[in-house]
Amino acid sequence: METLKVILHTNGDDKCLKNVVNYPIGKDQVLKEGFGIDADNPRNAYEQFKTAAHFWGNENKTPVFHYVTSYTEETASTPEQAMELTKAIFKPLTDTHLAGIGIHEKQRDECRYHGHTAMSPTDLKSGEMLYADNTTNYGLAQRMADVTGKPTQLVVRKEDGTEWTCKQKFVPHEDE
């Protein structure tokens, strides 16, 4: 089963933002890509996140969302496949939000590749904020199921480090 983990940083500060933006593009990844950011320079990417939030007056709100997409070997047996799937899952958001995606290789249960996505909550076109509510999280989990063609489990890690696992398994929609 594929897994989408949402790591909340609602109360995150500048140090948190630097760390989260750096993780997918700054180290340990086998592939990386930026959407509206300089993926080759985590410091520049951090500044781009800060500038976008400041421009829209969102600098005192949630600084970043961190998503982890884990793929079974059957779904993504190469880092390139994991990157293509991750990009497809987040495509609706990367059209209007700054993001950095990094693919990491580490065996976890039946998953070999996983993607880390640092996503700016600020919509660049409207200034509206993205929230880690059920509408957003369930929508992303369903999108992951549809993109991968496999059932997906949603896990949310709260600011206090505790995790909540959604009882619902998201299954791919059948083509009509």
Side-chain angles (χ1 to χ4, degrees), residues 128-141:
E128 292 181 17
M129 291 291 288
L130 177 67
Y131 294 98
D133 56 12
N134 286 348
T135 300
T136 302
N137 294 340
Y138 284 27
L140 284 171

Side-chain angles (χ1 to χ4, degrees), residues 7 18-20 22 27 34-35 51 65-66 69 85 87-88 91 96-97 105 122 127 129 138 146 148 163 167 170-171:
I7 303 173
K18 283 180 188 173
N19 289 338
V20 174
N22 182 64
K27 61 179 182 176
F35 299 84
T51 299
F65 288 115
H66 183 179
T69 47
L85 291 169
K87 286 169 36 177
K91 175 72 170 127
T96 58
H97 293 261
E105 181 178 8
T122 299
M129 291 291 288
Y138 284 27
D146 292 341
T148 62
E163 290 188 356
K167 292 182 176 143
F170 296 85
V171 295

Side-chain angles (χ1 to χ4, degrees), residues 2 10 28 30 60 70 77 94 98 101 110 117 123 130 145 148:
E2 316 314 302
T10 307
D28 299 332
V30 292
N60 295 318
S70 298
S77 60
T94 57
L98 300 176
I101 296 176
E110 55 188 81
T117 302
D123 185 301
L130 177 67
T148 62

Side-chain angles (χ1 to χ4, degrees), residues 54-124:
H54 177 74
F55 179 81
W56 288 103
N58 293 335
E59 61 265 37
N60 295 318
K61 300 178 181 174
T62 301
V64 65
F65 288 115
H66 183 179
Y67 300 101
V68 182
T69 47
S70 298
Y71 306 102
T72 59
E73 186 81 26
E74 178 185 344
T75 303
S77 60
T78 68
E80 292 81 10
Q81 289 172 323
M83 177 61 85
E84 290 308 311
L85 291 169
T86 305
K87 286 169 36 177
I89 291 162
F90 291 104
K91 175 72 170 127
L93 294 175
T94 57
D95 284 345
T96 58
H97 293 261
L98 300 176
I101 296 176
I103 302 300
H104 293 225
E105 181 178 8
K106 183 175 182 182
Q107 194 69 37
R108 292 181 181 172
D109 299 322
E110 55 188 81
C111 301
R112 181 174 176 190
Y113 295 104
H114 63 277
H116 287 268
T117 302
M119 180 77 60
S120 169
T122 299
D123 185 301
L124 295 174

Side-chain angles (χ1 to χ4, degrees), residues 138-139 142-143 145-147 149-150 168 170-176:
Y138 284 27
Q142 184 61 57
R143 184 156 174 85
D146 292 341
V147 167
K150 302 289 183 184
Q168 174 183 345
F170 296 85
V171 295
H173 287 129
E174 293 187 28
D175 292 333
E176 298 173 15

